[in-house]
Short mmCIF file of all heavy atoms in Angstrom, two decimals:
data_model
loop_
_atom_site.label_atom_id
_atom_site.label_comp_id
_atom_site.label_asym_id
_atom_site.label_seq_id
_atom_site.Cartn_x
_atom_site.Cartn_y
_atom_site.Cartn_z
N LEU B 11 6.52 -20.30 13.18
CA LEU B 11 6.65 -20.27 14.65
C LEU B 11 5.26 -20.33 15.31
O LEU B 11 5.04 -21.09 16.26
CB LEU B 11 7.37 -18.99 15.06
CG LEU B 11 7.69 -18.79 16.53
CD1 LEU B 11 8.64 -19.88 17.03
CD2 LEU B 11 8.30 -17.41 16.77
N ILE B 12 4.35 -19.57 14.77
CA ILE B 12 3.00 -19.50 15.35
C ILE B 12 2.21 -20.78 15.10
O ILE B 12 1.50 -21.27 15.98
CB ILE B 12 2.25 -18.27 14.78
CG1 ILE B 12 2.85 -17.00 15.36
CG2 ILE B 12 0.76 -18.35 15.08
CD1 ILE B 12 2.46 -15.74 14.64
N SER B 13 2.36 -21.34 13.91
CA SER B 13 1.58 -22.54 13.58
C SER B 13 2.22 -23.80 14.13
O SER B 13 1.63 -24.88 14.04
CB SER B 13 1.42 -22.66 12.06
OG SER B 13 2.68 -22.81 11.44
N GLY B 14 3.41 -23.66 14.70
CA GLY B 14 4.06 -24.84 15.28
C GLY B 14 4.71 -25.73 14.25
O GLY B 14 5.08 -26.86 14.54
N GLN B 15 4.84 -25.22 13.02
CA GLN B 15 5.44 -26.02 11.95
C GLN B 15 6.89 -25.59 11.76
O GLN B 15 7.25 -24.92 10.79
CB GLN B 15 4.64 -25.83 10.66
CG GLN B 15 3.21 -26.34 10.77
CD GLN B 15 2.36 -25.96 9.58
OE1 GLN B 15 2.81 -25.31 8.65
NE2 GLN B 15 1.11 -26.37 9.60
N MET B 16 7.70 -25.96 12.73
CA MET B 16 9.09 -25.50 12.71
C MET B 16 9.93 -26.48 13.53
O MET B 16 9.43 -27.03 14.52
CB MET B 16 9.13 -24.10 13.33
CG MET B 16 10.44 -23.40 13.23
SD MET B 16 10.27 -21.72 13.88
CE MET B 16 10.04 -20.80 12.39
N THR B 17 11.17 -26.69 13.13
CA THR B 17 12.02 -27.57 13.92
C THR B 17 12.37 -26.89 15.25
O THR B 17 12.31 -25.66 15.37
CB THR B 17 13.34 -27.88 13.17
OG1 THR B 17 14.05 -26.65 13.01
CG2 THR B 17 13.07 -28.51 11.80
N VAL B 18 12.74 -27.69 16.22
CA VAL B 18 13.05 -27.15 17.55
C VAL B 18 14.19 -26.15 17.47
O VAL B 18 14.14 -25.07 18.07
CB VAL B 18 13.42 -28.31 18.51
CG1 VAL B 18 13.85 -27.76 19.85
CG2 VAL B 18 12.23 -29.25 18.68
N GLN B 19 15.22 -26.49 16.69
CA GLN B 19 16.39 -25.61 16.58
C GLN B 19 16.03 -24.26 15.98
O GLN B 19 16.41 -23.21 16.50
CB GLN B 19 17.45 -26.27 15.68
CG GLN B 19 18.29 -27.30 16.44
CD GLN B 19 19.37 -27.89 15.55
OE1 GLN B 19 19.18 -27.99 14.34
NE2 GLN B 19 20.49 -28.30 16.15
N THR B 20 15.27 -24.31 14.88
CA THR B 20 14.88 -23.06 14.23
C THR B 20 13.99 -22.24 15.15
O THR B 20 14.10 -21.01 15.22
CB THR B 20 14.11 -23.35 12.91
OG1 THR B 20 14.81 -24.34 12.19
CG2 THR B 20 13.97 -22.11 12.07
N ARG B 21 13.13 -22.96 15.85
CA ARG B 21 12.21 -22.27 16.78
C ARG B 21 13.01 -21.53 17.86
O ARG B 21 12.73 -20.36 18.16
CB ARG B 21 11.30 -23.33 17.40
CG ARG B 21 10.33 -22.78 18.42
CD ARG B 21 9.51 -23.91 19.07
NE ARG B 21 8.79 -23.41 20.23
CZ ARG B 21 7.67 -22.70 20.16
NH1 ARG B 21 7.15 -22.43 18.99
NH2 ARG B 21 7.08 -22.26 21.25
N GLU B 22 14.00 -22.21 18.41
CA GLU B 22 14.80 -21.59 19.48
C GLU B 22 15.56 -20.38 18.95
O GLU B 22 15.64 -19.34 19.63
CB GLU B 22 15.75 -22.62 20.10
CG GLU B 22 15.00 -23.59 21.01
CD GLU B 22 15.89 -24.70 21.54
OE1 GLU B 22 17.08 -24.75 21.18
OE2 GLU B 22 15.38 -25.53 22.31
N ALA B 23 16.09 -20.51 17.76
CA ALA B 23 16.84 -19.39 17.16
C ALA B 23 15.91 -18.21 16.93
O ALA B 23 16.27 -17.05 17.18
CB ALA B 23 17.46 -19.84 15.84
N CYS B 24 14.71 -18.52 16.47
CA CYS B 24 13.73 -17.47 16.18
C CYS B 24 13.31 -16.75 17.47
O CYS B 24 13.24 -15.51 17.51
CB CYS B 24 12.53 -18.13 15.51
SG CYS B 24 11.64 -17.08 14.39
N LEU B 25 13.04 -17.54 18.51
CA LEU B 25 12.62 -16.96 19.78
C LEU B 25 13.73 -16.10 20.39
O LEU B 25 13.48 -15.04 20.97
CB LEU B 25 12.21 -18.07 20.76
CG LEU B 25 10.86 -18.76 20.45
CD1 LEU B 25 10.64 -19.95 21.38
CD2 LEU B 25 9.71 -17.77 20.56
N ALA B 26 14.97 -16.57 20.23
CA ALA B 26 16.11 -15.81 20.75
C ALA B 26 16.19 -14.45 20.05
O ALA B 26 16.47 -13.43 20.68
CB ALA B 26 17.40 -16.60 20.54
N HIS B 27 15.93 -14.46 18.75
CA HIS B 27 15.95 -13.19 18.02
C HIS B 27 14.83 -12.27 18.51
O HIS B 27 15.04 -11.06 18.69
CB HIS B 27 15.80 -13.44 16.52
CG HIS B 27 15.72 -12.18 15.73
ND1 HIS B 27 16.84 -11.46 15.34
CD2 HIS B 27 14.65 -11.46 15.29
CE1 HIS B 27 16.47 -10.38 14.69
NE2 HIS B 27 15.14 -10.35 14.64
N LEU B 28 13.65 -12.83 18.71
CA LEU B 28 12.52 -12.01 19.15
C LEU B 28 12.80 -11.35 20.51
O LEU B 28 12.33 -10.24 20.77
CB LEU B 28 11.24 -12.85 19.24
CG LEU B 28 10.67 -13.39 17.93
CD1 LEU B 28 9.37 -14.15 18.18
CD2 LEU B 28 10.43 -12.28 16.93
N ASP B 29 13.55 -12.05 21.34
CA ASP B 29 13.90 -11.49 22.65
C ASP B 29 14.68 -10.19 22.51
O ASP B 29 14.60 -9.30 23.36
CB ASP B 29 14.76 -12.49 23.43
CG ASP B 29 13.87 -13.46 24.20
OD1 ASP B 29 12.67 -13.15 24.34
OD2 ASP B 29 14.37 -14.51 24.64
N GLN B 30 15.44 -10.09 21.42
CA GLN B 30 16.33 -8.94 21.27
C GLN B 30 15.83 -7.89 20.29
O GLN B 30 16.38 -6.80 20.25
CB GLN B 30 17.71 -9.43 20.78
CG GLN B 30 18.36 -10.37 21.78
CD GLN B 30 19.58 -11.07 21.18
OE1 GLN B 30 19.89 -10.89 20.02
NE2 GLN B 30 20.25 -11.87 21.99
N CYS B 31 14.82 -8.24 19.49
CA CYS B 31 14.40 -7.32 18.41
C CYS B 31 12.96 -6.86 18.65
O CYS B 31 12.01 -7.63 18.46
CB CYS B 31 14.54 -8.00 17.05
SG CYS B 31 14.05 -6.94 15.68
N GLU B 32 12.83 -5.63 19.01
CA GLU B 32 11.51 -5.06 19.34
C GLU B 32 10.58 -5.08 18.11
O GLU B 32 9.40 -5.43 18.21
CB GLU B 32 11.69 -3.63 19.85
CG GLU B 32 10.40 -2.86 20.06
CD GLU B 32 9.51 -3.47 21.14
OE1 GLU B 32 10.06 -4.09 22.08
OE2 GLU B 32 8.27 -3.34 21.04
N ALA B 33 11.12 -4.71 16.94
CA ALA B 33 10.30 -4.64 15.72
C ALA B 33 9.75 -6.02 15.36
O ALA B 33 8.56 -6.16 15.03
CB ALA B 33 11.15 -4.09 14.57
N CYS B 34 10.62 -7.03 15.44
CA CYS B 34 10.17 -8.39 15.10
C CYS B 34 9.17 -8.90 16.13
O CYS B 34 8.24 -9.63 15.80
CB CYS B 34 11.36 -9.35 14.99
SG CYS B 34 12.30 -9.10 13.46
N ARG B 35 9.42 -8.53 17.38
CA ARG B 35 8.51 -8.97 18.45
C ARG B 35 7.10 -8.39 18.18
O ARG B 35 6.11 -9.07 18.35
CB ARG B 35 9.04 -8.52 19.81
CG ARG B 35 8.35 -9.22 20.96
CD ARG B 35 9.15 -9.20 22.25
NE ARG B 35 9.52 -7.86 22.67
CZ ARG B 35 10.79 -7.44 22.72
NH1 ARG B 35 11.79 -8.22 22.38
NH2 ARG B 35 11.07 -6.20 23.12
N GLN B 36 7.07 -7.15 17.73
CA GLN B 36 5.78 -6.52 17.41
C GLN B 36 5.11 -7.23 16.23
O GLN B 36 3.91 -7.51 16.26
CB GLN B 36 5.99 -5.04 17.08
CG GLN B 36 4.69 -4.25 16.91
CD GLN B 36 3.82 -4.29 18.16
OE1 GLN B 36 4.27 -3.99 19.26
NE2 GLN B 36 2.55 -4.69 17.99
N ARG B 37 5.90 -7.52 15.20
CA ARG B 37 5.35 -8.26 14.03
C ARG B 37 4.80 -9.61 14.48
O ARG B 37 3.72 -10.03 14.06
CB ARG B 37 6.46 -8.50 12.99
CG ARG B 37 6.83 -7.30 12.16
CD ARG B 37 8.08 -7.59 11.35
NE ARG B 37 7.97 -8.75 10.49
CZ ARG B 37 8.97 -9.59 10.20
NH1 ARG B 37 10.17 -9.38 10.69
NH2 ARG B 37 8.78 -10.61 9.40
N TYR B 38 5.56 -10.27 15.33
CA TYR B 38 5.17 -11.59 15.82
C TYR B 38 3.86 -11.51 16.60
O TYR B 38 2.94 -12.31 16.40
CB TYR B 38 6.29 -12.17 16.69
CG TYR B 38 5.91 -13.42 17.45
CD1 TYR B 38 5.78 -14.64 16.80
CD2 TYR B 38 5.68 -13.37 18.82
CE1 TYR B 38 5.44 -15.78 17.50
CE2 TYR B 38 5.34 -14.52 19.53
CZ TYR B 38 5.21 -15.72 18.86
OH TYR B 38 4.86 -16.85 19.54
N GLN B 39 3.75 -10.50 17.46
CA GLN B 39 2.54 -10.36 18.27
C GLN B 39 1.32 -10.03 17.41
O GLN B 39 0.22 -10.53 17.64
CB GLN B 39 2.75 -9.28 19.34
CG GLN B 39 3.66 -9.76 20.46
CD GLN B 39 4.09 -8.63 21.40
OE1 GLN B 39 3.87 -7.45 21.11
NE2 GLN B 39 4.72 -9.00 22.51
N ASP B 40 1.52 -9.18 16.41
CA ASP B 40 0.42 -8.85 15.49
C ASP B 40 -0.07 -10.10 14.75
O ASP B 40 -1.27 -10.35 14.63
CB ASP B 40 0.89 -7.83 14.43
CG ASP B 40 1.02 -6.44 15.01
OD1 ASP B 40 0.59 -6.24 16.17
OD2 ASP B 40 1.57 -5.56 14.32
#
Side-chain angles (χ1 to χ4, degrees):
Chain B
L11 184 63
I12 289 165
S13 63
Q15 297 171 359
M16 188 175 262
T17 63
V18 175
Q19 279 182 330
T20 314
R21 178 184 168 78
E22 285 175 358
C24 209
L25 287 173
H27 176 83
L28 293 183
D29 273 345
Q30 298 169 357
C31 180
E32 173 63 30
C34 285
R35 194 159 56 245
Q36 187 59 52
R37 284 170 57 214
Y38 170 74
Q39 286 170 350
D40 286 351

